[in-house]
Structure formats: structure tokens, C-alpha cells
Amino acid sequence: WLTFQGCPFRGHDESPGSLNRGNFLEMLKLLASYNKEVNEVVLENAPKNAKYTSPDVQKEILSILAQKVQKSIREEIGNSKFCIMVDEARDESKKEQMAIVLRFVNKEGLIKERFLDLIHVSDTTALTLKESICAVLSANGLSIQDIRGQGYDGATNMRGEWNGLKALILNECSYAYYIHCMAHQLQLALVATSREVHEVHNFFQHANFIINVVSASPKRNDELLANQAEEIAREIELGELDTGRGANQISSLQRPGDTRWSSHYRSILSLKKMFGATVSVLRSIANDRSVSKYSRGDASGALRIIVTFDFVFILLLMEKIMKITDVLCETLQNKNIDILNAMDSVSTTKVLLGELRNNGWEPLLEEVKLFCGKHDIDILDLSK
């Protein structure tokens, strides 16, 4: 049960006098309260060197379970060809861990993806990764000659033409075609493009700064939520918001993540939704003599940025653009997507972006003016 739920086994203090001996021993204690045999045989009468509750035994049981799962995956693959998808990341203990996922067509003709193994690698050079992959495949009775596809990110050690992991596997199996993850390609394209446009790059820098100032302490966050609740109640009373189950829920500002472009879209949505409440909190901090002068300075600087026509313009522009690209991003991460549907989704996104460029200026400008009018922001005279 603990394994299935992804819960840790060990406790900080597993001594007999501890009030919380960790999930495994506490679960065993709970089972013993319902089962006389477990209580008598395991907890009370078993010799201290044969309780089978030590960390080593726990790991051995987990290892046996893992081998059974891998055996089941191997049987599911049968004699079919398969693709490998590999990525590595550093865990909390600063060790490089490589995840290996297999993609194949089962006997019913359905595409399946199975997480096969997670292994520690001493470094991320292509040769080390290739040797580790071969070792895992060999241990599970699979041959590198049966690989018909490789899927990695775009790092040089993975997709390098001469010495990358892709090339090393192609040398042994010429049918192992490499495909750069399309969701990853999209993310790289969006990040690179946005950084080329200085106003957009600065907007995300400023938005992150504003969110950090407003969310710096629980007190400020509570004030933000209270202001948001008041604003929602006022707009419902004026008939500007629809009511219903699950609608108008109170939430916090979301920070954009470095590795997930879709998090930028959620960050923009939360900032737009909580714009008025954010401005109120910044004004409150800037005028609060009980906080440090540095905090007041940060709040004043953030306030000057957020209540400008330029900031609102980029906020609403990026919301429209990223609403389109986010749909594509989610589609490309669907495990059932195939290359034809992926290319069709890319084409549709390009058409929608083209329509936004050709016909979206006037509606965007009107929306920006309405938003600025609602929040008392000076509107630029564009005729000048």
C-alpha cells in the first residue's frame, strides 16, 4: 500500500519509545491491532534478529515487487519492437538519476508507455547513458536491435550528430530513429522568441518581481486573498461576474517556472484575475511605515511598473498568444498523440496566431482600454 501510494517507509526516529516510528512500522502496528497473528508472531514473539522489519528487508521486498512489475512489462512487450524515451534529472541528494520509459504497440494494437526503470548514473556523458540503457535492456531480456525510436530532449549529449546518445544507438541499430520531443521543441521556441522581444522579456522579469513582492510573507498573502474576495463580491453584486458551483474561487498568484512554459500562462492568468487586489496590496505596503524602507521601496517600484499602459498591454497580449500555444502544449504532452495529429495541431496553432496578428489588433486595443479604465490607469493617446 505504501509503495502504491508513493509514501516514504522510514521514520526519523524508529526506536521503540518514539511517538511516530514512520509509515511502515506504524502501518504494521495498525494491522497488528486488527490481526492477532500479526501482533503475536511479528511484534511480540519474533526474535529481534528475525522480525523482518529492518530497512534492508523493506528494500528487498520493494526490489522483488519492482522485478515483478518489470517482468510483467516484458511479457506485455513480447516480441514487439519498441521505442525508448530517456531523461535525466538531479535528485535531492545531488545524484543524477536517469528515467527509462518504453513505448510499444501491445497485442491488442494499442500504444502503451511503460516506466521501466530509474537508475543512478555517475555522469551524463553520452557513452555512460548508452551503457546504462543497454544494461537495463539486457537485464529485462530486451535487445537494442529491437529499438525503433529514440525520444530525448535537445541537449548536445543527447542529440549530438557524432557523439550524442542518439548517434551511439544509431550505430548499433540503424532503425532507431530519433525524434526530438515536440512539446520540448515548442517550449524552446517560445522561450527563445520571447527573449528576442525585449518588451516581453522585461514584462516577465517585472511580473516575477511583482509576484515576489506581494507573496513575500503570509501577512501580505492573506491581505491579497481578502482584497480578492472583496473584489469578487463587488463584481457579483454589479452583475459583472457569473455565479455557479466552482466559479470565482479565491486563489494565490502563481510564479512562472523555468522549465515549464505553460506555467507562464497560468502566472499571467492569475495576475490578470487578481490585478486589482495586487495593486491594493502594493499600495498598502508602500504606505505602511511599520515595514522596512526596503520593503516599501520594492512595493513602490512594483506599483510604478504595474499601473502602466505598457504593462497592461503586454499582459493582455501575452494572455491571448499563450492561450493559443498552451492548447498546443497540452496536446503535445498527450501520451496518445501520434505524429499526424501532432503536425495537425501545430498547423492549427500557426493559423490561429496568424489570425490574431492580422485581425486581433483592434479587439486587443479595446480590451486594454477597458482594463485600464477599470483600474484607473492612464490610457495612452495613440494618435500622437
Side-chain angles (χ1 to χ4, degrees), residues 21-60:
R21 302 179 66 193
N23 291 331
F24 180 78
L25 294 178
E26 292 294 338
M27 177 72 78
L28 190 62
K29 183 180 175 182
L30 176 67
L31 290 173
S33 68
Y34 287 93
N35 189 309
K36 185 178 179 181
E37 289 184 359
V38 172
N39 186 46
E40 291 181 354
V41 176
V42 179
L43 296 185
E44 292 184 359
N45 299 324
K48 287 186 178 180
N49 62 350
K51 286 182 178 292
Y52 301 105
T53 59
S54 71
D56 290 339
V57 173
Q58 293 173 27
K59 290 176 182 177
E60 189 174 345

Side-chain angles (χ1 to χ4, degrees), residues 184-203:
H184 204 273
Q185 285 188 65
L186 172 65
Q187 180 167 302
L188 292 174
L190 291 170
V191 171
T193 306
S194 68
R195 286 179 177 170
E196 285 296 316
V197 183
H198 297 161
E199 289 80 3
V200 175
H201 174 71
N202 292 337
F203 165 79

